[in-house]
Coordinates of all heavy atoms in Angstrom, one line a residue:
M1 N -49.8 129.0 -27.4 CA -50.7 129.5 -26.4 C -52.1 128.8 -26.6 O -52.6 128.7 -27.7 CB -50.9 131.0 -26.6 CG -51.5 131.7 -25.4 SD -51.8 133.4 -25.8 CE -50.4 134.1 -24.9
T2 N -52.6 128.4 -25.5 CA -54.0 127.7 -25.7 C -55.1 128.8 -25.8 O -54.8 130.0 -25.5 CB -54.2 126.9 -24.4 OG1 -54.2 127.7 -23.3 CG2 -53.2 125.8 -24.2
L3 N -56.2 128.3 -26.1 CA -57.4 129.2 -26.3 C -57.8 129.8 -25.0 O -58.2 131.0 -25.0 CB -58.5 128.4 -27.0 CG -59.5 129.2 -27.8 CD1 -58.9 129.7 -29.1 CD2 -60.7 128.3 -28.1
I4 N -57.7 129.1 -23.9 CA -58.1 129.6 -22.6 C -57.2 130.7 -22.2 O -57.7 131.7 -21.7 CB -58.2 128.4 -21.6 CG1 -59.3 127.5 -22.0 CG2 -58.4 129.0 -20.2 CD1 -59.2 126.1 -21.3
A5 N -55.9 130.5 -22.4 CA -55.0 131.5 -22.0 C -55.2 132.8 -22.8 O -55.1 133.9 -22.2 CB -53.5 131.0 -22.2
L6 N -55.6 132.7 -24.0 CA -55.8 133.8 -24.9 C -57.1 134.5 -24.4 O -57.1 135.8 -24.4 CB -56.1 133.3 -26.3 CG -55.9 134.4 -27.4 CD1 -54.4 134.7 -27.6 CD2 -56.5 133.8 -28.7
A7 N -58.1 133.7 -24.0 CA -59.4 134.3 -23.5 C -59.1 135.1 -22.2 O -59.7 136.2 -22.0 CB -60.4 133.2 -23.3
V8 N -58.3 134.5 -21.4 CA -58.0 135.2 -20.1 C -57.2 136.5 -20.3 O -57.5 137.5 -19.7 CB -57.2 134.2 -19.2 CG1 -56.6 134.9 -18.0 CG2 -58.1 133.0 -18.7
A9 N -56.3 136.4 -21.3 CA -55.5 137.6 -21.6 C -56.4 138.7 -22.1 O -56.3 139.9 -21.8 CB -54.5 137.2 -22.7
C10 N -57.4 138.3 -23.0 CA -58.3 139.3 -23.5 C -59.2 139.9 -22.4 O -59.4 141.1 -22.4 CB -59.3 138.6 -24.5 SG -58.5 138.5 -26.1
L11 N -59.6 139.1 -21.5 CA -60.5 139.5 -20.4 C -59.7 140.5 -19.5 O -60.3 141.5 -19.0 CB -60.9 138.2 -19.6 CG -62.2 138.4 -18.8 CD1 -63.4 138.3 -19.8 CD2 -62.4 137.3 -17.8
M12 N -58.5 140.1 -19.2 CA -57.6 141.0 -18.4 C -57.4 142.4 -19.1 O -57.4 143.4 -18.4 CB -56.3 140.3 -18.1 CG -56.3 139.4 -16.9 SD -54.8 138.5 -16.7 CE -53.7 139.8 -16.1
L13 N -57.2 142.3 -20.4 CA -57.0 143.6 -21.1 C -58.3 144.5 -21.1 O -58.2 145.7 -20.9 CB -56.7 143.2 -22.6 CG -55.8 144.2 -23.3 CD1 -54.4 144.0 -22.9 CD2 -55.9 143.9 -24.8
V14 N -59.4 143.8 -21.2 CA -60.7 144.6 -21.1 C -60.9 145.2 -19.7 O -61.3 146.3 -19.6 CB -61.9 143.6 -21.5 CG1 -63.2 144.3 -21.1 CG2 -61.8 143.3 -23.0
T15 N -60.6 144.3 -18.7 CA -60.7 144.8 -17.3 C -59.8 146.0 -17.0 O -60.2 146.9 -16.4 CB -60.4 143.6 -16.3 OG1 -61.2 142.5 -16.7 CG2 -60.8 144.0 -14.9
L16 N -58.6 145.8 -17.5 CA -57.6 146.9 -17.3 C -58.0 148.2 -18.0 O -57.9 149.3 -17.5 CB -56.2 146.4 -17.9 CG -55.0 146.9 -17.2 CD1 -54.8 146.2 -15.9 CD2 -53.8 146.7 -18.1
G17 N -58.5 148.0 -19.2 CA -59.0 149.2 -20.0 C -60.2 149.8 -19.3 O -60.2 151.1 -19.2
Y18 N -61.1 149.0 -18.8 CA -62.2 149.5 -18.1 C -61.8 150.3 -16.8 O -62.4 151.3 -16.5 CB -63.2 148.4 -17.8 CG -64.5 148.9 -17.1 CD1 -65.4 149.6 -17.8 CD2 -64.8 148.6 -15.8 CE1 -66.6 150.1 -17.3 CE2 -65.9 149.0 -15.2 CZ -66.8 149.7 -15.9 OH -68.0 150.2 -15.4
S19 N -60.9 149.7 -16.1 CA -60.4 150.4 -14.9 C -59.7 151.7 -15.2 O -60.0 152.7 -14.5 CB -59.3 149.5 -14.2 OG -59.9 148.2 -13.9
A20 N -59.0 151.7 -16.3 CA -58.4 153.0 -16.7 C -59.4 154.0 -17.1 O -59.3 155.2 -16.7 CB -57.5 152.7 -17.9
L21 N -60.5 153.5 -17.7 CA -61.6 154.4 -18.1 C -62.3 155.0 -16.9 O -62.6 156.2 -16.8 CB -62.6 153.6 -19.0 CG -63.7 154.4 -19.6 CD1 -63.1 155.2 -20.8 CD2 -64.8 153.5 -20.1
C22 N -62.5 154.1 -15.9 CA -63.1 154.6 -14.6 C -62.3 155.6 -13.9 O -62.8 156.5 -13.3 CB -63.4 153.3 -13.7 SG -64.8 152.3 -14.4
A23 N -61.0 155.4 -14.0 CA -60.0 156.3 -13.3 C -60.0 157.6 -14.0 O -59.9 158.7 -13.4 CB -58.7 155.7 -13.2
A24 N -60.0 157.6 -15.3 CA -59.8 158.8 -16.1 C -61.1 159.6 -16.1 O -61.1 160.8 -16.0 CB -59.4 158.4 -17.6
S25 N -62.2 159.0 -16.3 CA -63.5 159.7 -16.3 C -64.5 158.9 -15.5 O -65.1 158.0 -16.0 CB -64.0 159.9 -17.8 OG -64.3 158.8 -18.4
P26 N -64.7 159.2 -14.2 CA -65.5 158.4 -13.4 C -67.0 158.6 -13.7 O -67.8 157.7 -13.3 CB -65.3 159.0 -12.0 CG -64.6 160.3 -12.2 CD -63.9 160.2 -13.5
F27 N -67.4 159.6 -14.5 CA -68.8 159.7 -14.9 C -69.0 159.4 -16.3 O -68.2 159.8 -17.2 CB -69.2 161.1 -14.6 CG -69.2 161.4 -13.1 CD1 -68.1 162.1 -12.5 CD2 -70.2 161.0 -12.3 CE1 -68.1 162.4 -11.2 CE2 -70.2 161.3 -10.9 CZ -69.1 161.9 -10.4
G28 N -70.1 158.7 -16.6 CA -70.5 158.4 -18.0 C -71.7 159.2 -18.3 O -72.4 159.7 -17.4
T29 N -72.1 159.3 -19.5 CA -73.3 160.0 -19.9 C -74.5 159.1 -19.5 O -74.5 157.9 -19.7 CB -73.2 160.2 -21.4 OG1 -72.0 160.9 -21.8 CG2 -74.4 161.0 -21.9
C30 N -75.5 159.8 -19.1 CA -76.7 159.2 -18.7 C -77.4 158.6 -19.9 O -77.6 159.3 -20.9 CB -77.7 160.2 -18.0 SG -79.3 159.5 -17.6
R31 N -77.7 157.3 -19.8 CA -78.3 156.6 -21.0 C -79.8 156.9 -21.1 O -80.4 156.7 -22.2 CB -78.1 155.1 -20.9 CG -76.8 154.7 -21.6 CD -76.5 153.3 -21.4 NE -76.2 152.9 -20.0 CZ -76.0 151.7 -19.6 NH1 -76.0 150.7 -20.5 NH2 -75.7 151.4 -18.4
T32 N -80.4 157.4 -20.0 CA -81.8 157.7 -20.1 C -82.1 159.0 -20.8 O -83.0 159.0 -21.6 CB -82.4 157.8 -18.6 OG1 -82.0 156.6 -18.0 CG2 -83.9 157.9 -18.6
C33 N -81.3 160.0 -20.6 CA -81.5 161.3 -21.3 C -80.4 161.7 -22.2 O -80.4 162.8 -22.7 CB -81.7 162.3 -20.2 SG -80.2 162.5 -19.2
N34 N -79.5 160.7 -22.5 CA -78.3 161.0 -23.4 C -77.5 162.2 -23.0 O -77.0 162.9 -23.8 CB -78.8 161.1 -24.8 CG -79.4 159.8 -25.3 OD1 -78.9 158.8 -25.2 ND2 -80.6 159.9 -25.9
G35 N -77.4 162.5 -21.7 CA -76.6 163.5 -21.2 C -77.2 164.9 -21.2 O -76.6 165.9 -20.8
F36 N -78.5 165.0 -21.5 CA -79.2 166.3 -21.5 C -79.6 166.7 -20.1 O -79.7 167.9 -19.8 CB -80.4 166.3 -22.5 CG -80.0 166.3 -23.9 CD1 -80.3 165.2 -24.7 CD2 -79.4 167.4 -24.5 CE1 -80.0 165.1 -26.0 CE2 -79.1 167.4 -25.8 CZ -79.4 166.2 -26.6
G37 N -79.9 165.7 -19.3 CA -80.4 166.0 -17.9 C -81.9 166.2 -17.9 O -82.5 166.4 -16.8
F38 N -82.6 166.2 -19.1 CA -84.0 166.3 -19.1 C -84.5 165.5 -20.3 O -83.8 165.3 -21.3 CB -84.5 167.7 -19.1 CG -83.8 168.6 -20.2 CD1 -84.2 168.6 -21.5 CD2 -82.6 169.3 -19.8 CE1 -83.6 169.3 -22.4 CE2 -82.0 170.1 -20.8 CZ -82.4 170.1 -22.1
A39 N -85.8 165.2 -20.3 CA -86.4 164.5 -21.5 C -86.7 165.6 -22.5 O -87.0 166.7 -22.2 CB -87.6 163.8 -21.0
T40 N -86.6 165.2 -23.8 CA -86.9 166.2 -24.8 C -88.3 165.8 -25.4 O -88.5 164.6 -25.8 CB -85.8 166.3 -25.9 OG1 -85.4 164.9 -26.2 CG2 -84.7 167.1 -25.4
T41 N -89.1 166.7 -25.5 CA -90.4 166.5 -26.1 C -90.6 167.6 -27.2 O -89.8 168.5 -27.3 CB -91.6 166.6 -25.1 OG1 -91.5 167.8 -24.4 CG2 -91.6 165.4 -24.2
T42 N -91.6 167.5 -28.0 CA -91.8 168.5 -29.0 C -93.1 169.2 -28.7 O -94.1 168.6 -28.2 CB -91.9 167.9 -30.4 OG1 -92.7 166.7 -30.4 CG2 -90.5 167.4 -30.9
D43 N -93.1 170.5 -29.0 CA -94.4 171.3 -28.7 C -95.3 171.1 -29.9 O -95.1 170.3 -30.8 CB -94.0 172.7 -28.4 CG -93.4 173.4 -29.6 OD1 -93.4 172.8 -30.7 OD2 -92.9 174.6 -29.4
R44 N -96.4 171.8 -29.9 CA -97.5 171.6 -30.9 C -97.0 172.0 -32.3 O -97.5 171.5 -33.3 CB -98.7 172.4 -30.5 CG -99.7 171.6 -29.8 CD -100.8 172.4 -29.2 NE -100.4 173.0 -27.9 CZ -101.1 174.0 -27.3 NH1 -102.1 174.5 -27.9 NH2 -100.7 174.5 -26.2
K45 N -96.0 172.8 -32.4 CA -95.4 173.2 -33.7 C -94.3 172.2 -34.1 O -93.7 172.4 -35.2 CB -94.9 174.6 -33.6 CG -96.0 175.7 -33.6 CD -95.5 177.0 -33.2 CE -96.7 178.0 -33.0 NZ -96.2 179.2 -32.3
G46 N -94.0 171.2 -33.3 CA -93.0 170.2 -33.7 C -91.6 170.6 -33.3 O -90.7 170.0 -33.8
R47 N -91.5 171.7 -32.6 CA -90.1 172.1 -32.2 C -89.7 171.4 -31.0 O -90.5 171.1 -30.1 CB -90.1 173.6 -31.9 CG -90.1 174.5 -33.2 CD -90.1 175.9 -32.9 NE -91.2 176.3 -32.0 CZ -91.5 177.6 -31.8 NH1 -90.9 178.6 -32.3 NH2 -92.5 177.9 -31.0
P48 N -88.4 171.1 -30.9 CA -87.9 170.4 -29.6 C -88.0 171.3 -28.4 O -87.8 172.5 -28.5 CB -86.5 170.0 -29.9 CG -86.1 170.9 -31.1 CD -87.3 171.2 -31.8
K49 N -88.5 170.7 -27.3 CA -88.8 171.4 -26.1 C -88.2 170.7 -24.9 O -88.2 169.5 -25.0 CB -90.3 171.5 -26.0 CG -90.8 172.6 -25.0 CD -92.3 172.6 -25.0 CE -92.8 171.9 -23.8 NZ -94.3 171.7 -23.7
R50 N -87.8 171.4 -23.9 CA -87.3 170.8 -22.7 C -88.5 170.1 -21.9 O -89.5 170.8 -21.6 CB -86.7 171.9 -21.8 CG -85.8 171.3 -20.7 CD -85.6 172.3 -19.6 NE -85.4 171.6 -18.3 CZ -84.3 171.5 -17.7 NH1 -83.2 172.2 -18.1 NH2 -84.2 170.9 -16.5
G51 N -88.3 168.8 -21.7 CA -89.4 168.1 -20.9 C -89.0 168.0 -19.5 O -88.4 168.9 -18.9
K52 N -89.5 167.0 -18.9 CA -89.3 166.8 -17.4 C -87.8 166.5 -17.1 O -87.1 165.9 -18.0 CB -90.0 165.5 -17.0 CG -91.5 165.8 -16.7 CD -92.1 164.5 -16.2 CE -93.6 164.6 -16.3 NZ -94.2 163.2 -16.2
S53 N -87.3 166.9 -16.0 CA -86.0 166.7 -15.6 C -85.8 165.2 -15.4 O -86.7 164.5 -14.9 CB -85.7 167.4 -14.2 OG -85.6 168.8 -14.4
C54 N -84.6 164.7 -15.8 CA -84.3 163.3 -15.7 C -84.2 162.8 -14.2 O -83.4 163.4 -13.5 CB -83.1 162.9 -16.5 SG -82.6 161.2 -16.5
R55 N -84.9 161.8 -13.9 CA -84.9 161.4 -12.4 C -83.7 160.5 -12.2 O -83.2 160.4 -11.1 CB -86.2 160.7 -12.1 CG -87.3 161.6 -11.7 CD -88.4 160.9 -11.1 NE -89.0 159.9 -12.0 CZ -89.9 159.0 -11.7 NH1 -90.4 159.0 -10.4 NH2 -90.4 158.2 -12.5
R56 N -83.2 159.8 -13.2 CA -82.2 158.8 -13.1 C -80.8 159.5 -12.8 O -80.0 158.9 -12.0 CB -82.1 158.0 -14.4 CG -81.6 156.6 -14.1 CD -81.9 155.7 -15.2 NE -81.1 154.5 -15.1 CZ -81.3 153.5 -14.3 NH1 -82.4 153.5 -13.5 NH2 -80.5 152.5 -14.2
C57 N -80.5 160.6 -13.4 CA -79.3 161.3 -13.1 C -79.5 162.6 -12.3 O -78.5 163.3 -12.2 CB -78.6 161.6 -14.4 SG -79.5 162.7 -15.5
K58 N -80.7 162.8 -11.8 CA -81.0 164.0 -11.1 C -80.7 165.3 -11.9 O -80.1 166.2 -11.4 CB -80.3 164.0 -9.7 CG -80.7 162.9 -8.8 CD -80.2 163.1 -7.4 CE -80.6 162.0 -6.5 NZ -79.6 160.9 -6.4
A59 N -81.0 165.2 -13.1 CA -80.9 166.3 -14.1 C -79.5 166.8 -14.3 O -79.2 167.9 -14.7 CB -81.8 167.5 -13.7
T60 N -78.5 166.0 -14.0 CA -77.1 166.3 -14.3 C -76.6 165.8 -15.6 O -75.6 166.4 -16.1 CB -76.2 165.7 -13.2 OG1 -76.4 164.3 -13.1 CG2 -76.4 166.3 -11.8
G61 N -77.3 164.8 -16.2 CA -76.9 164.3 -17.4 C -75.7 163.3 -17.3 O -75.2 162.7 -18.3
K62 N -75.2 163.1 -16.1 CA -74.1 162.2 -15.9 C -74.4 161.1 -14.9 O -75.3 161.3 -14.0 CB -72.9 163.0 -15.3 CG -72.4 164.1 -16.1 CD -71.4 163.6 -17.2 CE -71.0 164.7 -18.1 NZ -70.6 164.2 -19.4
R63 N -73.9 160.0 -15.1 CA -74.1 158.9 -14.2 C -72.7 158.3 -13.8 O -71.8 158.2 -14.6 CB -74.8 157.8 -15.0 CG -76.3 158.2 -15.3 CD -77.2 157.7 -14.2 NE -77.3 156.2 -14.2 CZ -77.6 155.5 -13.2 NH1 -77.9 156.1 -12.0 NH2 -77.6 154.2 -13.3
I64 N -72.6 158.0 -12.5 CA -71.3 157.4 -12.1 C -71.2 156.0 -12.6 O -72.1 155.3 -12.7 CB -71.2 157.5 -10.5 CG1 -69.8 157.3 -10.1 CG2 -72.2 156.6 -9.8 CD1 -69.5 157.9 -8.7
R65 N -70.0 155.7 -13.1 CA -69.7 154.4 -13.6 C -69.7 153.3 -12.5 O -69.3 153.6 -11.4 CB -68.4 154.4 -14.3 CG -68.3 155.0 -15.7 CD -67.0 154.8 -16.3 NE -66.7 155.9 -17.2 CZ -67.1 156.1 -18.4 NH1 -67.9 155.1 -18.9 NH2 -66.8 157.1 -19.2
A66 N -70.2 152.2 -12.9 CA -70.3 151.1 -11.9 C -69.0 150.7 -11.3 O -68.8 150.5 -10.1 CB -71.0 149.8 -12.5
G67 N -67.9 150.8 -12.2 CA -66.6 150.5 -11.7 C -66.1 151.5 -10.7 O -65.4 151.1 -9.7
R68 N -66.4 152.7 -11.0 CA -65.9 153.8 -10.1 C -66.7 153.7 -8.8 O -66.1 154.0 -7.7 CB -66.2 155.2 -10.8 CG -65.7 156.4 -10.0 CD -64.2 156.4 -9.9 NE -63.8 157.5 -9.1 CZ -62.5 158.0 -9.1 NH1 -61.6 157.5 -9.9 NH2 -62.2 159.0 -8.4
W69 N -68.0 153.4 -8.9 CA -68.8 153.2 -7.7 C -68.2 152.2 -6.8 O -68.1 152.3 -5.6 CB -70.2 152.9 -8.1 CG -71.2 152.8 -7.0 CD1 -71.9 153.8 -6.4 CD2 -71.6 151.6 -6.3 NE1 -72.7 153.4 -5.4 CE2 -72.5 152.0 -5.3 CE3 -71.3 150.2 -6.4 CZ2 -73.1 151.1 -4.5 CZ3 -71.9 149.3 -5.6 CH2 -72.8 149.8 -4.6
L70 N -67.8 151.1 -7.4 CA -67.2 150.0 -6.6 C -65.8 150.4 -6.0 O -65.5 150.1 -4.9 CB -66.9 148.8 -7.6 CG -68.1 147.8 -7.8 CD1 -67.7 146.9 -8.9 CD2 -68.4 147.0 -6.5
F71 N -65.1 151.2 -6.8 CA -63.8 151.7 -6.3 C -64.0 152.6 -5.1 O -63.3 152.5 -4.1 CB -63.1 152.5 -7.5 CG -61.8 153.1 -7.1 CD1 -60.7 152.4 -6.9 CD2 -61.8 154.5 -6.9 CE1 -59.5 153.0 -6.5 CE2 -60.6 155.1 -6.5 CZ -59.5 154.4 -6.3
N72 N -64.9 153.5 -5.2 CA -65.2 154.5 -4.1 C -65.6 153.7 -2.9 O -65.2 154.0 -1.8 CB -66.4 155.4 -4.5 CG -65.9 156.5 -5.5 OD1 -64.7 156.6 -5.7 ND2 -66.9 157.2 -6.0
R73 N -66.5 152.7 -3.1 CA -67.0 151.9 -2.0 C -65.8 151.1 -1.3 O -65.7 151.1 -0.1 CB -68.0 150.9 -2.5 CG -68.9 150.3 -1.5 CD -69.9 149.4 -2.2 NE -70.4 148.4 -1.3 CZ -71.5 148.6 -0.6 NH1 -72.2 149.7 -0.8 NH2 -72.0 147.6 0.2
A74 N -64.9 150.5 -2.1 CA -63.8 149.8 -1.6 C -62.9 150.7 -0.9 O -62.3 150.3 0.2 CB -63.1 149.1 -2.8
Q75 N -62.7 151.9 -1.4 CA -61.8 152.8 -0.8 C -62.3 153.3 0.6 O -61.6 153.4 1.6 CB -61.6 154.1 -1.7 CG -60.4 154.8 -1.4 CD -60.2 156.0 -2.4 OE1 -61.2 156.6 -2.7 NE2 -59.0 156.2 -2.9
R76 N -63.6 153.5 0.7 CA -64.3 153.9 1.9 C -64.1 152.8 3.0 O -63.8 153.0 4.1 CB -65.7 154.2 1.7 CG -66.4 155.0 2.8 CD -67.8 155.4 2.5 NE -67.9 156.1 1.2 CZ -68.9 155.9 0.4 NH1 -69.9 155.1 0.6 NH2 -68.9 156.6 -0.8
I77 N -64.3 151.5 2.6 CA -64.2 150.4 3.5 C -62.8 150.3 4.0 O -62.5 150.1 5.2 CB -64.7 149.1 2.8 CG1 -66.2 149.1 2.6 CG2 -64.3 147.8 3.6 CD1 -66.8 148.1 1.6
Y78 N -61.8 150.5 3.1 CA -60.4 150.4 3.4 C -60.1 151.5 4.4 O -59.4 151.2 5.4 CB -59.6 150.6 2.1 CG -58.1 150.6 2.4 CD1 -57.4 149.5 2.7 CD2 -57.4 151.8 2.3 CE1 -56.0 149.5 2.9 CE2 -56.0 151.9 2.5 CZ -55.3 150.7 2.8 OH -54.0 150.7 3.1
R79 N -60.5 152.7 4.2 CA -60.3 153.8 5.1 C -60.8 153.6 6.5 O -60.2 153.8 7.5 CB -60.8 155.1 4.5 CG -59.8 155.9 3.8 CD -60.2 157.4 3.6 NE -60.1 157.7 2.2 CZ -61.1 158.2 1.5 NH1 -62.2 158.5 2.1 NH2 -61.0 158.5 0.2
E80 N -62.1 153.1 6.5 CA -62.7 152.8 7.8 C -62.0 151.7 8.5 O -62.0 151.7 9.8 CB -64.2 152.5 7.5 CG -65.1 153.7 7.3 CD -66.5 153.4 6.9 OE1 -66.9 152.2 6.8 OE2 -67.2 154.4 6.6
G81 N -61.5 150.8 7.8 CA -60.8 149.7 8.4 C -59.5 150.1 9.0 O -59.0 149.5 10.0
T82 N -58.8 151.1 8.4 CA -57.5 151.4 8.9 C -57.5 152.5 10.0 O -56.6 152.7 10.8 CB -56.6 152.0 7.8 OG1 -57.4 152.9 7.0 CG2 -56.2 150.9 6.9
N83 N -58.7 153.2 10.1 CA -58.8 154.2 11.2 C -58.9 153.7 12.6 O -59.6 152.7 12.8 CB -60.0 155.2 10.9 CG -59.6 156.2 9.9 OD1 -58.4 156.5 9.6 ND2 -60.6 156.8 9.2
Ligands
LIG1 ZN1 -80.5 161.4 -17.2

């Protein structure tokens, strides 16, 4: 097996794994707030406190995966095309 074939095989495996991940759990944890849905700040006594709601995930703590977003979009285009 050549090196290129091996690289392609690895790439396909990663893509397949990612597709499976997108199908199994379409939502990932928000990287901005780590899934809390809000920023954490500390009050004057140093205790953790709920801060502003996260704007990136609209305070849900979840973000749709790019792969799933593409899948949803492709599916919508396909449906509109067949109707
Ligand atoms: Zn967030």
Side-chain angles (χ1 to χ4, degrees):
M1 196 184 260
T2 61
L3 205 69
I4 292 164
L6 200 74
V8 168
C10 280
L11 208 75
M12 273 173 75
L13 211 73
V14 168
T15 308
L16 213 74
Y18 183 69
S19 302
L21 189 74
C22 287
S25 64
F27 295 97
T29 305
C30 176
R31 269 178 292 177
T32 307
C33 62
N34 295 313
F36 287 113
F38 50 84
T40 43
T41 52
T42 47
D43 63 11
R44 264 170 277 165
K45 286 167 189 165
R47 284 181 304 192
K49 198 180 103 182
R50 192 198 152 113
K52 278 182 196 164
S53 290
C54 180
R55 277 193 299 173
R56 212 162 159 78
C57 62
K58 296 190 179 94
T60 54
K62 298 279 179 207
R63 290 265 295 154
I64 195 155
R65 283 185 209 279
R68 183 69 183 197
W69 183 84
L70 275 169
F71 174 76
N72 285 351
R73 200 180 156 93
Q75 203 175 40
R76 196 175 305 143
I77 289 164
Y78 175 75
R79 262 197 235 128
E80 279 171 7
T82 49
N83 277 344

